[in-house]
Amino acid sequence: MKLSFGSACMFFVLFVMLLTAKVTGEAEIIFPEVAALSCGCFLTPRLVWRTSSFRMIFCIAFCAVSGVAIVRFLPLPLWAQFSLAFLTGQLVLLFSGTTFAPLISAIALPVLIQTRSPVYILAAVLLTTLVCLLRAFLVRAGKSEQADFSPVAFSERPFPAFLAALLFRTAFLALLAFFCIRAGLRFCVAPPLLVAFTELTGKESRSAKRFWAVILLVSLCALFGAASRLLISVTLGLPLTLSGLVAGAGVILLVKIFAFPFPPAAAMAVLAMLIPKDALFLYPLEVAAGIFLLSLAARFWRH
């Protein structure tokens, strides 16, 4: 597999993140959504979201703070906290004037894993900033296209239609989270899947036209991430950094095979580096079940 400038940038970001987490002993530094950001910023000629670097960094920062605040200050059942985080993320997406759906994962992740540490916030902001700086470098070097950003106007998102979609997504996710979290299958609603669900229910979603490709790509990325960690770090005892880089290589390979850069899928591979090792065996199955149910709900909504 030929290593492009974009792929090299993705490897660099993953290496910095995983090595820093290893050296400091702070697992909260592992921010899975950085793989999605790298996929959307480096593995395509143009930025896949309608946003700017400033809004990407600001939205990730705001959502990371909000997610930790929900955990710290709202003593609700986990499924209720998680549903509230998803609802808040959708509202942030609306008022951000962007299509930058990965911000939803930034608010949902600390809730799902019950993170209270400010380390998560700092890591999310700094890693997002690093991705933005590297993309600016690629643009300047002529390896990526300059994205001319214009905010998404409210007229492009008619309020009645947006409200209906918001209520549908939130209600379905809350119901799914209630049963899955209580059953101990929390990765059926892993945060990157919420991003996928949001994108798939969008009015002009191109990804929604590739129903089975989305399910297969997301499931394979989760499988590759879990298998890499199980084999390299758990079985052989080698550093997690190596597992993460191998998982990143798997993501790049799958994106090339499918010719389909779907950022939430990339995050599923890296999330496998963060979860408890006892959860790795069921992780790909939970993710596969989750993306199938959410994709099915999105198809129902669009029809």
Side-chain angles (χ1 to χ4, degrees):
M1 181 174 64
K2 184 178 179 181
L3 188 65
S4 66
F5 281 93
S7 299
C9 286
M10 183 171 181
F11 277 125
F12 177 72
V13 172
L14 292 177
F15 176 76
V16 169
M17 176 181 70
L18 293 166
L19 182 63
T20 305
K22 173 68 175 177
V23 170
T24 62
E26 294 282 357
E28 289 86 354
I29 289 175
I30 299 177
F31 179 52
E33 208 59 29
V34 79
L37 302 186
S38 296
C39 181
C41 289
F42 303 146
L43 300 187
T44 59
R46 63 177 61 184
L47 192 65
V48 300
W49 306 286
R50 188 170 162 185
T51 186
S52 65
S53 294
F54 171 78
R55 295 193 187 212
M56 286 173 64
I57 297 168
F58 177 82
C59 288
I60 290 292
F62 182 85
C63 287
V65 170
S66 299
V68 172
I70 288 173
V71 175
R72 279 176 172 261
F73 304 118
L74 292 179
L76 300 171
L78 178 55
W79 72 269
Q81 287 184 334
F82 193 67
S83 302
L84 177 61
F86 182 48
L87 173 61
T88 304
Q90 293 178 84
L91 293 173
V92 173
L93 181 62
L94 171 65
F95 290 105
S96 70
T98 73
T99 61
F100 184 56
L103 61 84
I104 292 172
S105 185
I107 190 173
L109 179 63
V111 175
L112 189 66
I113 63 176
Q114 292 291 282
T115 296
R116 294 171 172 266
S117 173
V119 171
Y120 167 78
I121 300 170
L122 184 62
V125 173
L126 291 180
L127 288 167
T128 303
T129 302
L130 177 59
V131 169
C132 291
L133 289 174
L134 286 173
R135 187 176 189 283
F137 168 76
L138 290 177
V139 170
R140 193 174 184 84
K143 303 300 179 181
S144 292
E145 297 180 15
Q146 177 68 50
D148 296 322
F149 171 67
S150 59
V152 180
F154 283 104
S155 59
E156 297 179 60
R157 288 170 170 160
F159 185 74
F162 175 83
L163 180 61
L166 181 145
L167 292 175
F168 168 76
R169 286 192 294 253
T170 305
F172 185 83
L173 186 278
L175 184 65
L176 187 62
F178 175 79
F179 287 107
C180 291
I181 290 175
R182 286 174 64 90
L185 303 172
R186 67 177 62 190
F187 298 113
C188 286
V189 288
L193 298 183
L194 274 58
V195 179
F197 187 39
T198 302
E199 294 186 355
L200 292 173
T201 50
K203 183 179 179 181
E204 298 179 357
S205 173
R206 296 180 181 178
S207 302
K209 299 176 182 178
R210 303 188 62 176
F211 180 81
W212 290 110
V214 166
I215 293 171
L216 192 57
L217 181 59
V218 170
S219 301
L220 287 176
C221 282
L223 176 62
F224 208 103
S228 296
R229 184 178 169 194
L230 276 170
L231 177 62
I232 296 172
S233 296
V234 177
T235 303
L236 299 179
L238 297 175
L240 188 66
T241 304
L242 181 59
S243 299
L245 292 178
V246 171
V251 168
I252 294 170
L253 179 61
L254 287 169
V255 167
K256 289 183 179 293
I257 291 173
F258 279 78
F260 180 38
F262 188 58
M268 298 311 315
V270 176
L271 181 58
M273 305 301 123
L274 181 61
I275 67 177
K277 65 180 181 180
D278 294 340
L280 288 169
F281 288 101
L282 284 179
Y283 176 71
L285 294 176
E286 290 182 45
V287 171
I291 189 59
F292 176 77
L293 291 173
L294 292 169
S295 296
L296 201 62
R299 172 173 278 195
F300 167 80
W301 173 252
R302 290 172 60 84
H303 289 82

